[in-house]
Amino acid sequence: QVQVSESGGGSEKAGGSLRLSCTVRGGSFGTWTLAWFRQSSGSEREFVAAIRWSGDTTYYGDSVKGRFTISRDDAKNTVYLQMNSLRPNDTAVYYCAADPTGSFYTARSYDYWGQGTQVTVSS
């Protein structure tokens, strides 16, 4: 059984930083693409970032390029999202997802999801 668990959300002022963590238990972490999505109230789940199993290829949504960094530590079965220069419109619930069966940009490609962690950015 695969369990995905996020942590690290919270409240921050615009311009500040937060780091999210996601630990995956079960499954084949070292062979999986991992991703972060976010969802704000009334909106669809939005792709934020993904990292290939090798760790040397990363992808970012246009709204976070140059501000967010995804990384992984396979020894800890953990993927991180470092969020810098936060903006109020980064406010959302952030979800970690693992092992896409289709396009990793698409939420419906993922079978394994965490419960989400709230990030709130104030102006």
Side-chain angles (χ1 to χ4, degrees):
Q1 183 178 0
V2 176
Q3 294 182 320
V4 181
S5 179
E6 306 97 338
S7 61
S11 297
E12 183 59 75
K13 292 184 178 180
S17 298
L18 285 172
R19 188 176 82 154
L20 307 183
S21 300
C22 169
T23 300
V24 181
R25 294 183 172 84
S28 303
F29 183 92
T31 67
W32 285 351
T33 291
L34 303 160
W36 289 94
F37 286 77
R38 67 186 182 186
Q39 189 168 20
S40 55
S41 179
S43 299
E44 294 186 354
R45 201 160 290 192
E46 175 191 9
F47 173 77
V48 174
I51 185 166
R52 290 288 198 186
W53 66 270
S54 60
D56 60 357
T57 306
T58 56
Y59 306 87
Y60 296 94
D62 288 341
S63 60
V64 306
K65 281 180 182 176
R67 300 188 299 122
F68 291 10
T69 302
I70 188 171
S71 61
R72 62 190 294 161
D73 184 339
D74 287 356
K76 296 181 179 179
N77 280 18
T78 299
V79 60
Y80 303 97
L81 185 68
Q82 178 67 44
M83 306 185 295
N84 298 329
S85 302
L86 284 164
R87 303 167 179 169
N89 60 8
D90 292 320
T91 295
V93 178
Y94 283 71
Y95 296 91
C96 178
D99 192 26
T101 55
S103 168
F104 56 81
Y105 289 106
T106 305
R108 63 176 178 268
S109 295
Y110 294 82
D111 289 331
Y112 304 121
W113 290 89
Q115 79 286 352
T117 185
Q118 176 70 46
V119 171
T120 302
V121 184
S122 59
S123 58

